[in-house]
Amino acid sequence: MTPDAEVRIAGRALARAGLVHAYGHCSARLGTGVIVVSPAAPLGLVAPDDVCPMVPLDGPLPATVLGEVRMHRAVYRSRADVGAICRIQPPAVMALSVLGRSPRAVHGFSSYFAGGVPMFDSPVLVRDDAAAEAVAELLGGAAAIVLRGNGALVVAPDLRTAVCLAWYLEDTARTELAVLPAGSDVCLLTADEAERRATWEGGLAERMWAYLTAGDREL
């Protein structure tokens, strides 16, 4: 599968899962200094023949690329371990964020975020380099960062894992929101529980990818 095809498929998977709508984008690292990003269009409407732009990590951002791709570039420059990024608009994560909360390690799927999910405390679109670099700095070594009232950014070594983690992050937020009306705090995973649970053995990412991309026209 070509890198641009995988980006298109990933984008449509995020849309089918309700993690993006008219807005949202994803990208993958192609090699030293270059990434491929989804088209500037609703990801669920991206067609197999739509071109995924190649974007340099340095220099001016191409005019045809969405402004928030600056966040992708800033993260790739600061994290050599990141090979893919999903910029998502998940509703439960969004709801938690306006309460001033980011998802916590409360169940199996959230164990992958046990180190914490930082929150960028601004609802303003990240469309300048200074803000993008601030997001990357706050992300640090985490797997995701919440943008208050503005969705989230999820990072991983590859696109399939990034899509999987995007779904996990939203499920974490859904679970925490579901128990909030009970009026007592959730039972957080211990460090040992999270470490033992956050495994990728058994093809966990591959199975979630298969589930989310089932029926895609490019597969």
Side-chain angles (χ1 to χ4, degrees):
M1 182 186 302
T2 62
D4 58 333
E6 190 169 49
V7 167
R8 289 191 296 266
I9 293 167
R12 289 190 293 266
L14 294 170
R16 280 192 294 272
L19 300 174
V20 298
H21 34 64
Y23 315 114
H25 30 95
C26 54
S27 68
R29 194 192 294 267
L30 284 182
T32 304
V34 182
I35 61 174
V36 57
V37 303
S38 52
L43 295 184
L45 302 181
V46 171
D49 58 352
D50 284 345
V51 175
C52 293
M54 295 185 184
V55 179
L57 291 185
D58 296 299
L61 194 70
T64 57
V65 174
L66 294 169
E68 284 203 330
V69 171
R70 289 180 175 85
M71 281 191 291
H72 298 239
R73 300 205 305 174
V75 171
Y76 285 122
R77 288 195 297 260
S78 64
R79 292 270 301 271
D81 63 311
V82 171
I85 296 174
C86 295
R87 167 68 169 104
I88 56 176
Q89 303 279 353
V93 171
M94 192 85 75
L96 267 185
S97 79
V98 300
L99 292 172
R101 301 178 182 221
S102 59
R104 297 177 293 171
V106 296
H107 71 334
F109 293 141
S110 54
S111 63
Y112 302 86
F113 309 103
V117 179
M119 180 182 294
F120 186 67
D121 195 15
S122 172
V124 178
L125 293 172
V126 181
R127 290 180 172 174
D128 63 76
D129 289 334
E133 288 165 8
V135 169
E137 182 177 1
L138 185 59
L139 172 68
I145 184 169
V146 171
L147 311 171
R148 179 172 61 84
N150 194 25
L153 204 71
V154 179
V155 308
D158 58 79
L159 198 48
R160 298 183 182 207
T161 305
V163 170
C164 180
L165 286 173
W167 194 93
Y168 285 0
L169 185 70
E170 176 67 349
D171 194 69
T172 300
R174 277 192 298 258
T175 300
E176 191 161 352
L177 280 174
V179 301
L180 280 179
S184 58
D185 205 2
V186 296
C187 181
L188 299 177
L189 299 186
T190 67
D192 179 63
E193 287 173 334
E195 182 179 2
R196 287 191 294 152
R197 174 59 181 82
T199 178
W200 293 110
E201 294 180 3
L204 291 182
E206 292 79 6
R207 286 155 58 194
M208 179 58 74
W209 174 261
Y211 170 71
L212 294 174
T213 62
D216 189 273
R217 63 197 109 170
E218 286 194 78
L219 288 175

